[in-house]
PDB file of all heavy atoms in Angstrom:
ATOM      1  N   ALA A  21      71.645  50.556  22.626  1.00  0.00           N
ATOM      2  CA  ALA A  21      70.668  51.101  23.515  1.00  0.00           C
ATOM      3  C   ALA A  21      69.620  50.113  23.931  1.00  0.00           C
ATOM      4  O   ALA A  21      69.118  49.345  23.069  1.00  0.00           O
ATOM      5  CB  ALA A  21      69.925  52.297  22.866  1.00  0.00           C
ATOM      6  N   SER A  23      66.827  50.712  26.005  1.00  0.00           N
ATOM      7  CA  SER A  23      65.466  51.161  26.240  1.00  0.00           C
ATOM      8  C   SER A  23      65.168  52.384  25.420  1.00  0.00           C
ATOM      9  O   SER A  23      66.120  53.040  24.934  1.00  0.00           O
ATOM     10  CB  SER A  23      65.258  51.523  27.753  1.00  0.00           C
ATOM     11  OG  SER A  23      66.055  52.670  28.026  1.00  0.00           O
ATOM     12  N   LEU A  24      63.938  52.712  25.252  1.00  0.00           N
ATOM     13  CA  LEU A  24      63.540  53.924  24.489  1.00  0.00           C
ATOM     14  C   LEU A  24      64.151  55.145  25.081  1.00  0.00           C
ATOM     15  O   LEU A  24      64.486  56.085  24.417  1.00  0.00           O
ATOM     16  CB  LEU A  24      62.003  54.024  24.413  1.00  0.00           C
ATOM     17  CG  LEU A  24      61.352  52.944  23.549  1.00  0.00           C
ATOM     18  CD1 LEU A  24      59.822  52.991  23.735  1.00  0.00           C
ATOM     19  CD2 LEU A  24      61.711  53.125  22.065  1.00  0.00           C
ATOM     20  N   LYS A  25      64.240  55.177  26.396  1.00  0.00           N
ATOM     21  CA  LYS A  25      64.803  56.337  27.094  1.00  0.00           C
ATOM     22  C   LYS A  25      66.306  56.528  26.745  1.00  0.00           C
ATOM     23  O   LYS A  25      66.739  57.628  26.409  1.00  0.00           O
ATOM     24  CB  LYS A  25      64.614  56.144  28.626  1.00  0.00           C
ATOM     25  CG  LYS A  25      64.953  57.338  29.451  1.00  0.00           C
ATOM     26  CD  LYS A  25      64.474  57.169  30.892  1.00  0.00           C
ATOM     27  CE  LYS A  25      65.065  58.233  31.779  1.00  0.00           C
ATOM     28  NZ  LYS A  25      66.274  57.819  32.379  1.00  0.00           N
ATOM     29  N   GLU A  26      67.018  55.385  26.799  1.00  0.00           N
ATOM     30  CA  GLU A  26      68.416  55.441  26.486  1.00  0.00           C
ATOM     31  C   GLU A  26      68.616  55.882  25.037  1.00  0.00           C
ATOM     32  O   GLU A  26      69.514  56.657  24.744  1.00  0.00           O
ATOM     33  CB  GLU A  26      68.990  53.989  26.632  1.00  0.00           C
ATOM     34  CG  GLU A  26      70.322  53.901  27.334  1.00  0.00           C
ATOM     35  CD  GLU A  26      70.749  52.442  27.469  1.00  0.00           C
ATOM     36  OE1 GLU A  26      70.127  51.716  28.280  1.00  0.00           O
ATOM     37  OE2 GLU A  26      71.636  52.011  26.714  1.00  0.00           O
ATOM     38  N   LEU A  27      67.741  55.369  24.176  1.00  0.00           N
ATOM     39  CA  LEU A  27      67.827  55.681  22.705  1.00  0.00           C
ATOM     40  C   LEU A  27      67.625  57.207  22.522  1.00  0.00           C
ATOM     41  O   LEU A  27      68.308  57.846  21.695  1.00  0.00           O
ATOM     42  CB  LEU A  27      66.823  54.896  21.946  1.00  0.00           C
ATOM     43  CG  LEU A  27      66.927  54.966  20.441  1.00  0.00           C
ATOM     44  CD1 LEU A  27      68.212  54.284  19.968  1.00  0.00           C
ATOM     45  CD2 LEU A  27      65.705  54.308  19.763  1.00  0.00           C
ATOM     46  N   ASP A  28      66.678  57.747  23.229  1.00  0.00           N
ATOM     47  CA  ASP A  28      66.392  59.189  23.096  1.00  0.00           C
ATOM     48  C   ASP A  28      67.581  60.010  23.554  1.00  0.00           C
ATOM     49  O   ASP A  28      67.867  61.102  22.967  1.00  0.00           O
ATOM     50  CB  ASP A  28      65.113  59.532  23.927  1.00  0.00           C
ATOM     51  CG  ASP A  28      64.486  60.799  23.394  1.00  0.00           C
ATOM     52  OD1 ASP A  28      64.273  60.916  22.178  1.00  0.00           O
ATOM     53  OD2 ASP A  28      64.246  61.703  24.234  1.00  0.00           O
ATOM     54  N   GLU A  29      68.233  59.524  24.623  1.00  0.00           N
ATOM     55  CA  GLU A  29      69.451  60.277  25.049  1.00  0.00           C
ATOM     56  C   GLU A  29      70.528  60.287  23.919  1.00  0.00           C
ATOM     57  O   GLU A  29      71.167  61.346  23.699  1.00  0.00           O
ATOM     58  CB  GLU A  29      70.007  59.608  26.287  1.00  0.00           C
ATOM     59  CG  GLU A  29      69.250  60.034  27.595  1.00  0.00           C
ATOM     60  CD  GLU A  29      69.517  59.113  28.757  1.00  0.00           C
ATOM     61  OE1 GLU A  29      70.406  58.236  28.708  1.00  0.00           O
ATOM     62  OE2 GLU A  29      68.736  59.232  29.755  1.00  0.00           O
ATOM     63  N   VAL A  30      70.671  59.163  23.224  1.00  0.00           N
ATOM     64  CA  VAL A  30      71.615  59.079  22.141  1.00  0.00           C
ATOM     65  C   VAL A  30      71.215  60.112  21.028  1.00  0.00           C
ATOM     66  O   VAL A  30      72.089  60.902  20.575  1.00  0.00           O
ATOM     67  CB  VAL A  30      71.667  57.689  21.520  1.00  0.00           C
ATOM     68  CG1 VAL A  30      72.602  57.662  20.296  1.00  0.00           C
ATOM     69  CG2 VAL A  30      72.119  56.659  22.542  1.00  0.00           C
ATOM     70  N   ARG A  31      69.925  60.199  20.788  1.00  0.00           N
ATOM     71  CA  ARG A  31      69.447  61.153  19.736  1.00  0.00           C
ATOM     72  C   ARG A  31      69.752  62.574  20.109  1.00  0.00           C
ATOM     73  O   ARG A  31      70.273  63.339  19.338  1.00  0.00           O
ATOM     74  CB  ARG A  31      67.967  60.939  19.517  1.00  0.00           C
ATOM     75  CG  ARG A  31      67.361  61.779  18.387  1.00  0.00           C
ATOM     76  CD  ARG A  31      65.826  61.709  18.366  1.00  0.00           C
ATOM     77  NE  ARG A  31      65.197  62.203  19.610  1.00  0.00           N
ATOM     78  CZ  ARG A  31      65.041  63.492  19.834  1.00  0.00           C
ATOM     79  NH1 ARG A  31      65.442  64.426  19.025  1.00  0.00           N
ATOM     80  NH2 ARG A  31      64.478  63.836  20.999  1.00  0.00           N
ATOM     81  N   VAL A  32      69.448  62.898  21.398  1.00  0.00           N
ATOM     82  CA  VAL A  32      69.643  64.288  21.829  1.00  0.00           C
ATOM     83  C   VAL A  32      71.122  64.639  21.773  1.00  0.00           C
ATOM     84  O   VAL A  32      71.498  65.748  21.327  1.00  0.00           O
ATOM     85  CB  VAL A  32      69.063  64.498  23.275  1.00  0.00           C
ATOM     86  CG1 VAL A  32      69.479  65.849  23.831  1.00  0.00           C
ATOM     87  CG2 VAL A  32      67.547  64.349  23.231  1.00  0.00           C
ATOM     88  N   ASP A  33      71.976  63.701  22.154  1.00  0.00           N
ATOM     89  CA  ASP A  33      73.452  63.958  22.137  1.00  0.00           C
ATOM     90  C   ASP A  33      73.943  64.329  20.750  1.00  0.00           C
ATOM     91  O   ASP A  33      74.881  65.116  20.612  1.00  0.00           O
ATOM     92  CB  ASP A  33      74.220  62.728  22.579  1.00  0.00           C
ATOM     93  CG  ASP A  33      74.242  62.635  24.141  1.00  0.00           C
ATOM     94  OD1 ASP A  33      73.810  63.658  24.761  1.00  0.00           O
ATOM     95  OD2 ASP A  33      74.656  61.582  24.632  1.00  0.00           O
ATOM     96  N   LEU A  74      68.176  55.206  14.150  1.00  0.00           N
ATOM     97  CA  LEU A  74      67.391  55.567  15.353  1.00  0.00           C
ATOM     98  C   LEU A  74      65.990  55.027  15.226  1.00  0.00           C
ATOM     99  O   LEU A  74      65.380  54.463  16.125  1.00  0.00           O
ATOM    100  CB  LEU A  74      67.348  57.069  15.588  1.00  0.00           C
ATOM    101  CG  LEU A  74      68.548  57.696  16.280  1.00  0.00           C
ATOM    102  CD1 LEU A  74      68.482  59.213  16.197  1.00  0.00           C
ATOM    103  CD2 LEU A  74      68.638  57.291  17.742  1.00  0.00           C
ATOM    104  N   HIS A  78      64.203  52.279  17.368  1.00  0.00           N
ATOM    105  CA  HIS A  78      63.064  52.683  18.109  1.00  0.00           C
ATOM    106  C   HIS A  78      61.925  51.702  17.994  1.00  0.00           C
ATOM    107  O   HIS A  78      61.321  51.275  18.962  1.00  0.00           O
ATOM    108  CB  HIS A  78      62.634  54.085  17.622  1.00  0.00           C
ATOM    109  CG  HIS A  78      61.468  54.668  18.424  1.00  0.00           C
ATOM    110  ND1 HIS A  78      61.738  55.540  19.439  1.00  0.00           N
ATOM    111  CD2 HIS A  78      60.147  54.523  18.419  1.00  0.00           C
ATOM    112  CE1 HIS A  78      60.590  55.892  20.052  1.00  0.00           C
ATOM    113  NE2 HIS A  78      59.622  55.306  19.441  1.00  0.00           N
TER     114      HIS A  78
END
Side-chain angles (χ1 to χ4, degrees):
S23 66
L24 289 172
K25 189 167 168 270
E26 222 179 288
L27 189 67
D28 202 51
E29 281 162 11
V30 175
R31 184 188 61 79
V32 172
D33 279 352
L74 279 168
H78 188 95

